[in-house]
Amino acid sequence: MGMGNFIFFVLIVVYGGGVWKFWNGFGRTNFNPTLSNRIGLALLWPALFITNQSYRRNFRKALKG
């Protein structure tokens, strides 16, 4: 396995872990608890985390627990 493949694998694991943790902690956030919100916000977490301060606060709330 080359270094590029290893980095890609690590990024996939980190992304999947973020989706999983946010999904499970969604109830601790201030977001409207609809299924579409939950899916969209969980799948888009890297971009939203980088660009949105309010999302970052809620993401951290979701991870606690």
Side-chain angles (χ1 to χ4, degrees):
M1 180 148 90
M3 187 60 137
N5 289 339
F6 177 73
I7 292 171
F8 182 72
F9 176 74
V10 168
L11 289 175
I12 294 296
V13 169
V14 169
Y15 174 76
V19 169
W20 179 261
K21 291 287 282 183
F22 184 78
W23 184 272
N24 288 323
F26 188 80
R28 289 186 286 277
T29 68
N30 296 332
F31 297 123
N32 189 5
T34 63
L35 183 60
S36 61
N37 265 359
R38 194 173 192 171
I39 292 170
L41 293 171
L43 293 177
L44 294 173
W45 78 264
L48 293 170
F49 189 84
I50 291 168
T51 61
N52 190 303
Q53 184 178 8
S54 173
Y55 182 84
R56 269 193 299 277
R57 280 193 302 269
N58 278 291
F59 188 80
R60 288 183 184 116
K61 285 182 191 178
L63 296 186
K64 292 179 182 175

